[in-house]
């Protein structure tokens, strides 16, 4: 017997926008292992301490790339984001020498859609 | 003024398994009407407004340690004199002849309700006249209470006799050798004098202790024996008798010459009596102090309920305890407030009857049709609650309106009065005493007060005279209008109202178990009156397992709950 595993994950590539001296991505993050997971409105499991997208600025690079509010960021450029502090997550996203970040995100709507199609 | 409440418990059924009553039952069996009445009534004043002071105990001597214990003998007398043909065991708690007893049923229509709208002059005679049915009630109560007095007085006399015997015995022990064979006695110096002093003081202490413990006006007359009191009385009797026996044989017969031994013998008796007194304190007073049971008392008429904690008591004592608390805890029984307004009830009651004309063979239909009818009637009855709701809302609005008017009227009335300061000089004609001041301002609030009382159906409870008296009382003590109104805005406890009207002392104790049994978990007894009853049920207070947990004050540490949001 062999194993079938579905990954409900989506890869998103964001090109940073230069604004003055900064490179911005155009979204906000919340969460982290040093934060309080029960306050997270986007997570299904209230003990989940991962990094979530809490806001996406209109017309910013993140929105253009297809990032949505409520997405959970699993990886950034290969770096794992499921067990990092809030500040470590921010640092990994805002490295000054990177112009493109490739995110691996999980979305609840995606999960539910696949589950429903599996059940029917 | 604080009025004391006294309740007597009269018992109506022959007890099972008690001792046979002595010969004196014949005395009690004859209800002497006139004589006990004289004994009872000699302290009553002519207005019949005062409480009947039960004076039977006021001339008792102080060392009547067994004044209550003897009552069991009296009760045994009474048992045979009563008719014992009751189904369940019920005993009556009865007042020693209260004139306007059992007046708790409203007779509001007879009273003059229109005092608010007529003249403000108070006529002094109207409140003291007694109507005809009051008189018949008085005579009936006198007959009922006549039975008790003979046996009660007999019991008191017996108790006094026993107490005197116990008290004088040591003195007799000391004096008899001196009187009978003085010449032969050995002289006894300082030790004897010391013993004399100790006897004197111990007897004095015994006297004071007995006065404190037993010389109290009884608050209730109980139907059955107090087991502990009977026990103590028997103990004292046996003690004294055995001491006399020993004394008679060892000392009197043989003419013992050692006077010191005799004095020591007497001292040992006094010590034993003191210990019996200690036992009495523990059994009668201390044992019931620690709460063991929770009693729930529910009034059957309107569901008012209270919870009380009591210790180990017998059922009859628990009943009296409940009654004492009933009079100051439960809101007064107002039968006018019990019924739903007639407009709603009449709709609920009118269902229609179904008559089946024709053949009887359709058995199926005959069951189905009434069911449909009943369902239709039930549906119509369900809509009755709508009317009730709106009626209640309307009534509440009316009450609030009247209450607002009353409060404003009273506040305004109180502004017309001011206490006279000493340095002010006023015309003597203008100075009023509290009664006149009350009458002066009563007119302005009378109408609002009367309307409010009528809306809340309290008007039988407050006569114009009582309101004036209360107003005078409040003015004398510088009370604010709100304090004056406190009595009228909420229905107070029964003891607040004028005593002769609302404090009926005739209660019947109905119990499935003998009333001298102690309280146990699940015991239920009922205290009945004519219009309602108090159903009392017992629950044992649970056994608490208390465990200890030590918390180091240094262990109280806290961290922040972080919820940061960073924009990247």
């Amino acid at each position: 017997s062999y194993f079938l595993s579905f990954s409900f994950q989506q890869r998103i590539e964001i090109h940073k926008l230069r604004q003055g001296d900064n490179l911005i991505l155009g979204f906000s993050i919340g969460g982290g292992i040093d934060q309080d997971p029960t306050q997270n409105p986007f997570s299904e499991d209230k003990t989940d301490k991962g990094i979530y997208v809490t806001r996406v600025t209109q017309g910013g690079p993140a929105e253009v790339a297809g990032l949505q509010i409520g997405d959970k960021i699993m990886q950034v450029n290969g770096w794992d984001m499921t067990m990092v502090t809030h500040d470590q997550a921010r640092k990994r996203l805002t490295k000054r020498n990177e112009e493109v970040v490739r995110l691996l995100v999980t979305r609840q709507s995606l999960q539910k859609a696949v589950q429903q199609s599996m059940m029917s | 003024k604080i009025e004391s409440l006294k309740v007597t418990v009269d018992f109506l059924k022959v007890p099972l398994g008690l001792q046979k009553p002595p010969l004196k039952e014949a005395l009690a069996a004859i209800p002497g009407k006139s004589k006990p009445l004289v004994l009872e009534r000699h302290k009553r004043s002519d207005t019949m407004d005062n409480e009947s002071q039960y004076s039977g105990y006021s001339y008792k001597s102080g060392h009547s340690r067994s004044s209550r214990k003897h009552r069991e003998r009296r009760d045994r007398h009474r048992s045979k004199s009563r008719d014992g043909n009751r189904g369940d065991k019920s005993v009556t708690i009865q007042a020693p002849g209260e004139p306007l007893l059992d007046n708790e049923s409203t007779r509001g229509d007879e009273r003059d309700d229109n005092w608010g709208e007529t003249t403000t002059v108070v006529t002094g005679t109207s409140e003291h006249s007694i109507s005809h049915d009051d008189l018949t009630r008085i005579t009936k109560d006198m007959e009922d209470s006549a039975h008790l007095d003979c046996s009660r007085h007999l019991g008191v006399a017996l108790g006094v006799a026993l107490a005197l015997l116990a008290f004088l015995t040591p003195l007799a022990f000391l004096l008899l050798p001196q009187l009978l064979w003085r010449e032969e006695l050995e002289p006894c110096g300082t030790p004897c004098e010391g013993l004399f002093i100790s006897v004197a003081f111990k007897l004095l202490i015994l006297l004071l202790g007995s006065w404190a413990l037993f010389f109290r006006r009884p608050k209730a007359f109980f139907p059955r024996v107090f087991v502990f009191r009977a026990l103590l009385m028997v103990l004292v009797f046996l003690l004294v008798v055995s001491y006399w026996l020993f004394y008679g044989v060892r000392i009197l017969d043989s003419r013992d010459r050692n006077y010191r031994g005799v004095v020591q013998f007497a001292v040992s008796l006094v010590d034993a009596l003191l210990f019996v007194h200690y036992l009495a304190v523990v059994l009668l007073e201390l044992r019931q102090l620690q709460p063991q049971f929770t009693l729930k008392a529910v009034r059957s008429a309107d569901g008012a309920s209270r919870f009380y904690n009591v210790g180990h008591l017998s059922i009859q004592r628990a009943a009296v305890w409940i009654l004492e608390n009933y009079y100051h805890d439960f809101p007064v029984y107002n039968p006018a407030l019990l019924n739903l307004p007639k407009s709603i009830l009449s709709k609920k009651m009118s269902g229609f009857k179904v008559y089946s004309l024709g053949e009887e063979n359709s058995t199926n239909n005959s069951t189905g049709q009434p069911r449909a009818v009943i369902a239709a009637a039930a549906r119509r009855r369900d809509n009755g609650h709508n009317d009730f709701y709106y009626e209640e809302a309307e009534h509440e609005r009316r009450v609030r309106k009247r209450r607002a008017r009353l409060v404003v009227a009273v506040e305004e009335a109180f502004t017309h009065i001011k206490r006279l300061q000493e340095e002010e000089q006023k015309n003597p004609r203008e100075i009023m005493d509290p009664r006149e001041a009350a009458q002066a301002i009563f007119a302005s609030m009378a109408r609002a007060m009367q309307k409010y009382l009528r809306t809340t159906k309290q008007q039988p409870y407050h006569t114009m005279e009582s309101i004036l008296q209360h107003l005078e009382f409040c003015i004398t003590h510088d009370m604010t209008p709100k304090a004056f109104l406190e009595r009228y805005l909420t229905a107070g406890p029964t003891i607040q109202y004028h005593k002769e009207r609302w404090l009926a002392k005739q209660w019947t104790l109905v119990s499935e178990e003998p009333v001298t049994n102690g309280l146990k978990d699940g015991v239920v007894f009922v205290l009945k009156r004519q219009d309602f009853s108090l159903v009392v049920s017992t629950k044992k207070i649970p056994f608490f397992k208390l465990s200890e947990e030590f918390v180091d004050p240094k262990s109280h540490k806290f961290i922040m709950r972080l919820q940061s949001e960073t924009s990247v």
Side-chain angles (χ1 to χ4, degrees):
Chain A
S1 62
Y2 56 96
F3 222 82
L4 259 185
S5 75
F6 293 91
S7 68
F8 318 122
Q9 291 161 340
Q10 189 170 353
R11 291 187 190 278
I12 292 181
E13 190 175 294
I14 304 179
H15 297 263
K16 290 188 190 179
L17 181 68
R18 181 164 291 278
Q19 254 189 15
D21 209 17
N22 300 325
L23 285 168
I24 64 162
L25 290 153
F27 66 97
S28 299
I29 53 166
I33 53 175
D34 56 337
Q35 303 284 309
D36 179 21
T38 58
Q39 309 277 345
N40 189 345
F42 305 109
S43 57
E44 246 187 51
D45 176 15
K46 291 303 171 191
T47 59
D48 184 5
K49 295 189 175 180
I51 307 292
Y52 280 78
V53 175
T54 55
R55 248 185 310 149
V56 177
T57 42
Q58 283 256 11
E63 195 191 14
V64 163
L67 191 65
Q68 289 181 13
I69 185 173
D71 289 351
K72 178 178 175 181
I73 302 176
M74 312 290 284
Q75 286 178 12
V76 170
N77 285 346
W79 293 98
D80 172 56
M81 297 288 265
T82 55
M83 281 300 201
V84 294
T85 66
H86 189 86
D87 209 40
Q88 284 171 344
R90 181 191 58 81
K91 283 193 186 136
R92 293 211 185 133
L93 284 165
T94 53
K95 285 196 158 57
R96 293 177 81 87
N97 50 1
E98 290 173 353
E99 288 229 356
V100 176
V101 286
R102 291 181 181 81
L103 309 177
L104 183 65
V105 302
T106 300
R107 202 169 286 161
Q108 273 192 15
S109 52
L110 256 182
Q111 270 183 348
K112 286 209 177 87
V114 176
Q115 274 172 2
Q116 277 171 3
S117 64
M118 279 173 67
M119 282 191 290
S120 60
Chain B
K1 36 185 175 146
I2 302 168
E3 300 148 335
S4 62
L5 165 68
K6 193 181 308 158
V7 174
T8 80
V9 176
D10 183 23
F11 104 130
L12 295 171
K13 188 177 189 314
V14 178
L16 309 167
L18 283 191
Q19 303 96 319
K20 286 165 74 96
L23 296 168
K24 298 197 175 77
E25 62 171 345
L27 255 177
I30 306 163
K33 266 193 217 171
S34 54
K35 194 164 166 301
L37 280 181
V38 167
L39 280 168
E40 263 197 296
R41 297 267 183 273
H42 73 273
K43 270 210 168 180
R44 184 178 297 285
S45 71
D46 52 357
T47 62
M48 301 244 196
D49 283 354
N50 304 330
E51 174 199 20
S52 76
Q53 304 286 322
Y54 195 76
S55 56
Y57 298 97
S58 56
Y59 49 76
K60 228 169 28 175
S61 59
H63 39 269
S64 57
R65 148 182 341 113
S66 41
S67 63
R68 306 238 193 112
K69 293 174 277 193
H70 59 71
R71 217 176 288 127
E72 50 102 2
R73 293 198 179 162
R74 167 179 37 90
D75 291 340
R76 272 180 283 146
H77 306 165
R78 271 214 305 269
S79 71
K80 293 297 186 194
S81 70
R82 290 251 175 225
D83 176 30
N85 292 337
R86 288 266 181 126
D88 51 348
K89 295 179 198 183
S90 77
V91 293
T92 309
I93 304 179
Q94 190 186 31
E98 180 63 21
L100 299 176
L101 255 192
D102 292 336
N103 219 342
E104 287 193 17
S105 51
T106 40
R107 304 188 306 149
D109 302 329
E110 300 172 42
R111 306 282 163 185
D112 178 20
D113 281 338
N114 294 323
W115 41 263
E117 281 148 10
T118 54
T119 172
T120 59
V121 175
V122 180
T123 59
T125 56
S126 55
E127 295 305 310
H128 296 293
S129 58
I130 302 177
S131 63
H132 175 68
D133 36 348
D134 289 345
L135 278 173
T136 52
R137 210 173 290 122
I138 291 168
T139 49
K140 185 168 75 76
D141 298 328
M142 285 179 176
E143 289 168 16
D144 286 338
S145 59
H147 298 293
L148 312 170
D149 301 340
C150 284
S151 36
R152 201 181 293 153
H153 286 296
L154 210 60
V156 174
L158 275 174
V160 169
L162 186 68
L164 272 177
L165 179 72
F167 191 75
L168 293 176
T169 301
L171 298 175
F173 285 178
L174 291 175
L175 287 175
L176 279 175
Q178 296 275 354
L179 296 173
L180 294 179
W181 60 90
R182 194 196 199 108
E183 312 78 33
E184 301 166 3
L185 283 177
E186 292 165 15
C188 157
T190 357
C192 269
E193 285 157 17
L195 289 173
F196 285 148
I197 294 176
S198 83
V199 164
F201 275 97
K202 281 179 186 166
L203 281 179
L204 180 69
I205 290 171
L206 197 60
L207 189 71
L208 285 176
S210 304
W211 171 82
L213 193 59
F214 298 109
F215 183 57
R216 280 183 290 195
R217 183 159 299 146
K219 54 189 181 183
F221 293 121
F222 294 92
R224 304 278 178 125
V225 185
F226 259 115
V227 173
F228 288 142
R229 292 178 185 179
L231 192 74
L232 283 168
M233 208 165 116
V234 166
L235 195 67
V236 167
F237 184 68
L238 286 177
L239 187 73
V240 171
V241 162
S242 61
Y243 262 84
W244 270 111
L245 274 173
F246 270 90
Y247 189 75
V249 167
R250 296 300 183 120
I251 297 180
L252 283 181
D253 278 353
S254 61
R255 297 207 156 208
D256 192 2
R257 300 170 56 181
N258 180 7
Y259 191 53
R260 191 149 132 223
V262 175
V263 177
Q264 280 172 338
F265 190 71
V267 172
S268 70
L269 172 62
V270 179
D271 288 340
L273 287 176
L274 272 175
F275 283 124
V276 170
H277 186 264
Y278 157 77
L279 187 67
V281 169
V282 165
L283 282 183
L284 297 181
E285 302 287 318
L286 290 185
R287 188 167 175 258
Q288 79 242 30
L289 289 181
Q290 196 183 44
Q292 296 278 343
F293 298 99
T294 301
L295 300 178
K296 176 175 183 181
V298 182
R299 187 157 58 187
S300 67
D302 56 0
S305 69
R306 292 284 185 282
F307 287 86
Y308 298 109
N309 274 3
V310 294
H312 278 293
L313 290 177
S314 60
I315 292 181
Q316 55 187 5
R317 280 171 91 186
V320 171
W321 167 274
I322 292 275
L323 284 182
E324 283 168 5
N325 285 310
Y326 167 81
Y327 276 103
H328 70 77
D329 275 344
F330 277 71
V332 66
Y333 168 68
N334 193 347
L337 291 175
L338 295 180
N339 307 315
L340 289 176
K342 285 216 172 54
S343 52
I344 294 165
L345 274 181
S346 58
K347 277 196 194 151
K348 288 176 75 125
M349 291 311 180
S350 69
F352 38 84
K353 288 176 174 271
V354 175
Y355 297 96
S356 63
L357 312 167
E359 327 75 83
E360 302 292 327
N361 53 5
S362 55
T363 47
N364 273 345
N365 286 351
S366 64
T367 50
Q369 204 185 13
R371 215 178 288 139
V373 165
I374 290 169
R379 245 177 281 124
R380 225 172 351 98
R381 233 178 286 135
D382 277 345
N383 292 332
H385 72 72
N386 233 359
D387 297 331
F388 179 54
Y389 168 71
Y390 285 117
E391 180 91 26
E392 267 215 336
E394 175 66 32
H395 175 77
E396 214 159 300
R397 203 181 60 84
R398 230 179 302 142
V399 164
R400 259 184 283 161
K401 193 172 64 158
R402 294 271 166 96
R403 177 196 163 125
R405 287 200 191 141
L406 173 66
V407 169
V408 165
V410 170
E411 296 254 359
E412 275 181 44
F414 268 68
T415 57
H416 297 315
I417 294 259
K418 191 171 79 93
R419 186 173 271 271
L420 177 70
Q421 310 297 322
E422 277 95 31
E423 55 274 6
E424 283 183 28
Q425 298 299 324
K426 286 282 184 192
N427 197 342
R429 267 186 298 121
E430 292 177 1
I431 299 179
M432 300 184 283
D433 66 356
R435 176 85 186 172
E436 291 162 8
Q439 283 169 348
I441 60 173
F442 182 64
S444 53
M445 69 163 91
R447 196 187 165 85
M449 172 72 81
Q450 186 215 355
K451 283 210 151 119
Y452 176 78
L453 289 180
R454 218 183 245 164
T455 313
T456 55
K457 301 201 178 66
Q458 277 180 312
Q459 79 273 17
Y461 296 83
H462 303 287
T463 58
M464 181 167 75
E465 178 60 31
S466 75
I467 299 180
L468 265 174
Q469 271 178 0
H470 187 236
L471 187 56
E472 177 188 342
F473 175 79
C474 291
I475 289 176
T476 315
H477 296 282
D478 283 334
M479 292 205 193
T480 58
K482 218 171 176 182
F484 165 71
L485 280 175
E486 162 264 345
R487 190 178 213 199
Y488 304 104
L489 294 181
T490 52
T494 316
I495 207 164
Q496 179 175 265
Y497 297 96
H498 204 38
K499 209 166 54 68
E500 74 223 16
R501 286 195 68 170
W502 308 112
L503 286 190
K505 299 165 188 175
Q506 171 92 23
W507 290 86
T508 306
L509 173 59
V510 177
S511 156
E512 290 165 357
E513 298 187 3
V515 296
T516 47
N517 274 10
L519 285 176
K520 280 192 285 283
D521 189 34
V523 162
V524 175
F525 58 92
V526 180
L527 283 159
K528 260 204 193 135
R529 274 189 44 92
Q530 286 169 0
D531 340 356
F532 61 92
S533 50
L534 278 176
V535 180
V536 182
S537 46
T538 319
K539 283 189 184 48
K540 193 163 166 50
I541 293 181
F543 179 75
F544 300 118
K545 292 198 187 109
L546 213 57
S547 59
E548 177 201 351
E549 185 183 330
F550 174 68
V551 170
D552 187 2
K554 293 201 211 77
S555 69
H556 297 304
K557 304 236 181 282
F558 296 90
I559 51 169
M560 282 289 288
R561 290 170 78 113
L562 300 171
Q563 317 127 35
S564 324
E565 190 188 1
T566 319
S567 60
V568 295

